[in-house]
Amino acid sequence: TTLKLIFSIFRFFSLSLRTKLSPSVRAAAVNMSTLLVNRPQYSWLRELGLGEDNDGVYNGCWGGQGQVVTSYCPANNEPIARVRQATMAEYEETVQKAQDAWKVWADVPAPKRGEIVRQIGDALRGKIKALGSLVSLEMGKIYVEGVGEVQEYVDVCDYAVGLSRMIGGPILPSERPGHALIEQWNPVGLVGIITAFNFPVAVYGWNNAIALICGNVCLWKGAPTTPLTSVAVTRIVAEVLERNHLPGAICSMTCGGADIGTAMAKDERVGLLSFTGSTQVGKQVAMMVQERFGRQLLELGGNNAIIVFEDADLNLVVPSAVFASVGTAGQRCTTTRRLMLHESVHDDVVERIAKAYKQIRIGDPWDPNTLYGPLHTKQAVQQYLAAIDQAKQQGGTLVCGGKVMDRPGNYVEPTIITGLPHDAPIVHTETFVPILYVLKFKTEDEAFAWNNEVKQGLSSSIFTKDMGRVFRWLGPKGSDCGIVNVNIPTSGAEIGGAFGGEKHTGGGRESGSDSWKQYMRRSTCTINYSKDLPLAQGIKFE
């Protein structure tokens, strides 16, 4: 009914244009009318400051003289609105303005910086529904996940406010009389933040809030396919800075593609580059940053496993595995891609999960009843089909799913595949789609080894009631991942802990715990307040 109404309005509008306007004006008007931002049901986009054409550069002033890109809705592949990206000249101007802004921001006491971050969190709260809807519309994740993602930014702001009164180093005992030995932590200066399409708000928030209270300024390049979210978030943050008479360039933004990302990686003025994306691109970024001996924070791929032992509570296992494998249509870096089942429960669990898959409510991501939306791009659909073909060729059996859905947008069926060897090439390949590979194991040692044999090391989880096994899993011979869970899914991390992984996941840590240290540089300081000059280690030099 809604679609019929939309088409009726569009048809009426088009007919009116044909009868009243000249051909050239008519063509331009029809093109404008096809943008979702101009349709009444998407009028809330205007609340976020978005229009047909949007500036993709912010450095205290809005601009954008580069390529014009159109953002599309993955649920129907219709155009939402356009963004003008940054030129290299605008990138250079923005970095210079950010450096000037840092001179102001670094002099603001940390608790006062925390107050600004608190205001950013409150401003996000005021726009949480509209911004969550935009994430759903532009990225494709369901509405509750879109709102939840904005909530993560809000939560990190709250966390950072408290942290702004706590960061600092210890006073250490000096072996020399009349001397003090302290650690001083200072900001790195300019933090470059490159984020991915799957979390276009939260990952920026993790970096931005912590970097700000540490005394840094930020330069953000969001994913080229979610530019409207980058613009909308930056507008909210910019209003807070401007209201407090602070330079807007404290939180700068340059929308763009690989050219801007490469410039950030090679730019010695970028004190820390935080990159979230694929392992393949992350490796290239790491090499460019390392070549200039820069500092990097990498959040890359994950090939995450849930291990289910014979004593597991299957009433916890089934919803956990379904949420972790199907949530965000398999496009989380923490998505469960491998489900390892003890041979005694294998068949039962597969049957239960397959039944649950068939009950998943698929639909428009902004419909509150929908649990599963589209893939982000048409290219992802092709990757999904290619992975299924490879799995079949390597001995896999399709339990459910495996097809592209016959409806508008980038919808595919959530898929379960059994029968593959644990070391099959496709099992060891992270494909960013909703395909779950189910493996059968016999022993604990076998399961732990399979968990660790992939190149990535992001998230992992076991389901068991055996406390000895729990602590073996958490210990040195257990999981080698950065996130090691028990009786919960691999996805859905809280902001209070450090988020990140090992090996090809990149080694970076964001958000909670002591992740703030990555955004600062440490100096060991010795102060002589005596009238003597004793040397360390008792050395005499007279």
Side-chain angles (χ1 to χ4, degrees):
T1 304
T2 304
L3 285 173
K4 287 180 180 177
L5 179 60
I6 292 170
F7 288 134
S8 296
I9 293 170
F10 176 62
R11 185 169 178 271
F12 173 78
F13 187 59
S14 300
L15 287 171
S16 300
L17 288 169
R18 279 198 289 270
T19 58
K20 296 178 182 179
L21 301 177
S22 67
S24 59
V25 175
R26 199 162 59 221
V30 170
N31 184 48
M32 286 169 50
S33 71
T34 62
L35 296 175
L36 298 187
V37 71
N38 289 322
R39 299 185 188 177
Q41 64 267 44
Y42 302 109
S43 59
W44 49 266
L45 289 168
R46 305 283 178 175
E47 298 173 26
L48 297 169
L50 299 174
E52 298 154 13
D53 293 285
N54 302 274
D55 292 332
V57 177
Y58 180 74
N59 51 31
C61 300
W62 286 93
Q65 300 297 321
Q67 180 184 357
V68 176
V69 295
T70 302
S71 178
Y72 290 88
C73 173
N76 51 33
N77 284 318
E78 293 191 57
I80 306 170
R82 295 179 290 265
V83 174
R84 292 181 294 271
Q85 295 183 329
T87 63
M88 292 310 300
E90 287 175 312
Y91 167 80
E92 179 62 32
E93 178 191 10
T94 300
V95 171
Q96 291 177 6
K97 286 188 174 181
Q99 287 185 301
D100 291 340
W102 180 79
K103 295 173 184 176
V104 176
W105 187 240
D107 285 339
V108 177
K112 297 294 184 183
R113 297 194 294 255
E115 165 59 19
I116 300 302
V117 172
R118 184 195 67 78
Q119 292 180 36
I120 291 173
D122 282 351
L124 290 164
R125 280 187 180 93
K127 301 281 189 179
I128 192 166
K129 290 184 178 179
L131 196 52
S133 295
L134 174 58
V135 172
S136 182
L137 185 70
E138 187 175 41
M139 183 273 152
K141 64 177 61 175
I142 61 175
Y143 171 72
V144 291
E145 286 187 324
V147 171
E149 184 177 339
V150 182
Q151 185 64 49
E152 276 196 61
Y153 194 169
V154 171
D155 290 345
V156 174
C157 285
D158 288 347
Y159 175 83
V161 173
L163 193 63
S164 70
R165 293 183 179 271
M166 298 169 64
I167 54 174
I171 300 175
L172 303 166
S174 173
E175 66 184 61
R176 290 174 279 192
H179 285 58
L181 186 61
I182 67 172
E183 275 186 8
Q184 174 73 23
W185 289 82
N186 286 304
V188 297
L190 174 58
V191 174
I193 305 168
I194 301 176
T195 58
F197 75 87
N198 60 333
F199 280 86
V201 174
V203 174
Y204 175 66
W206 297 346
N207 285 274
N208 174 251
I210 304 299
L212 286 179
I213 63 101
C214 289
N216 301 293
V217 295
C218 299
L219 172 58
W220 181 22
K221 189 194 89 68
T225 53
T226 54
L228 297 174
T229 301
S230 299
V231 171
V233 170
T234 299
R235 285 196 175 279
I236 292 169
V237 175
E239 286 176 7
V240 173
L241 295 173
E242 292 167 8
R243 187 169 64 242
N244 285 274
H245 308 291
L246 288 165
I250 289 170
C251 294
S252 299
M253 175 194 69
T254 51
C255 291
D259 56 341
I260 299 295
T262 298
M264 293 171 71
K266 292 183 176 181
D267 197 332
E268 293 188 354
R269 296 167 296 182
V270 177
L272 167 68
L273 183 65
S274 173
F275 174 84
T276 301
S278 70
T279 297
Q280 179 183 4
V281 177
K283 183 182 290 187
Q284 297 171 4
V285 169
M287 292 174 68
M288 286 186 280
V289 176
Q290 184 58 44
E291 190 173 19
R292 62 178 174 86
F293 289 99
R295 187 184 296 199
Q296 59 202 354
L297 194 167
L298 301 176
E299 294 286 359
L300 310 177
N303 195 342
N304 316 294
I306 286 178
I307 303 173
V308 180
F309 286 93
E310 64 273 18
D311 63 338
D313 182 345
L314 299 189
N315 290 326
L316 290 179
V317 169
V318 174
S320 294
V322 172
F323 169 73
S325 57
V326 169
T328 324
Q331 297 170 110
R332 291 182 178 224
C333 50
T334 52
T335 291
T336 297
R337 311 206 179 277
R338 299 176 296 151
L339 178 61
M340 303 178 190
L341 303 174
H342 188 268
E343 58 184 0
S344 65
V345 298
H346 177 276
D347 293 350
D348 186 14
V349 173
V350 170
E351 182 180 348
R352 290 197 196 189
I353 292 179
K355 183 179 180 181
Y357 265 46
K358 293 172 183 175
Q359 297 173 351
I360 292 168
R361 296 188 298 278
I362 301 171
D364 291 332
W366 48 85
D367 183 336
N369 294 316
T370 298
L371 293 179
Y372 176 91
L375 293 177
H376 185 57
T377 62
K378 295 177 181 178
Q379 290 83 356
V381 175
Q382 296 307 311
Q383 292 169 1
Y384 165 87
L385 292 172
I388 290 172
D389 285 344
Q390 291 177 48
K392 289 177 179 178
Q393 292 169 12
Q394 293 168 25
T397 300
L398 205 62
V399 174
C400 65
K403 300 185 187 71
V404 176
M405 300 183 68
D406 184 17
R407 57 175 294 160
N410 309 319
Y411 286 85
V412 299
E413 295 177 343
T415 300
I416 300 173
I417 295 176
T418 61
L420 283 165
H422 65 92
D423 56 354
I426 192 62
V427 174
H428 279 219
T429 302
E430 181 198 26
T431 309
F432 226 57
V433 295
I435 300 175
L436 180 65
Y437 303 111
V438 180
L439 311 174
K440 185 187 295 187
F441 72 90
K442 294 182 179 181
T443 67
E444 176 185 304
D445 288 345
E446 188 177 56
F448 286 8
W450 292 2
N451 178 78
N452 295 345
E453 71 184 3
V454 296
K455 291 184 177 181
Q456 301 89 347
L458 180 52
S459 188
S460 56
S461 183
I462 62 168
F463 282 77
T464 185
K465 298 172 186 173
D466 185 332
M467 292 307 296
R469 179 179 289 138
V470 167
F471 283 97
R472 289 191 293 274
W473 172 244
L474 302 179
K477 296 181 180 178
S479 173
D480 65 359
C481 296
I483 299 171
V484 184
N485 293 336
V486 177
N487 295 330
I488 66 166
T490 56
S491 57
E494 299 180 27
I495 62 100
F499 182 91
E502 302 299 326
K503 303 187 298 187
H504 285 216
T505 301
R509 292 297 186 276
E510 294 170 329
S511 195
S513 186
D514 65 349
S515 298
W516 62 269
K517 292 180 178 179
Q518 300 208 46
Y519 302 87
M520 304 194 81
R521 56 179 179 84
R522 170 176 19 201
S523 300
T524 301
C525 309
T526 305
I527 303 166
N528 181 2
Y529 56 88
S530 74
K531 294 183 179 180
D532 300 316
L533 195 64
L535 301 177
Q537 293 83 47
I539 293 173
K540 301 293 182 182
F541 195 77
E542 297 173 349

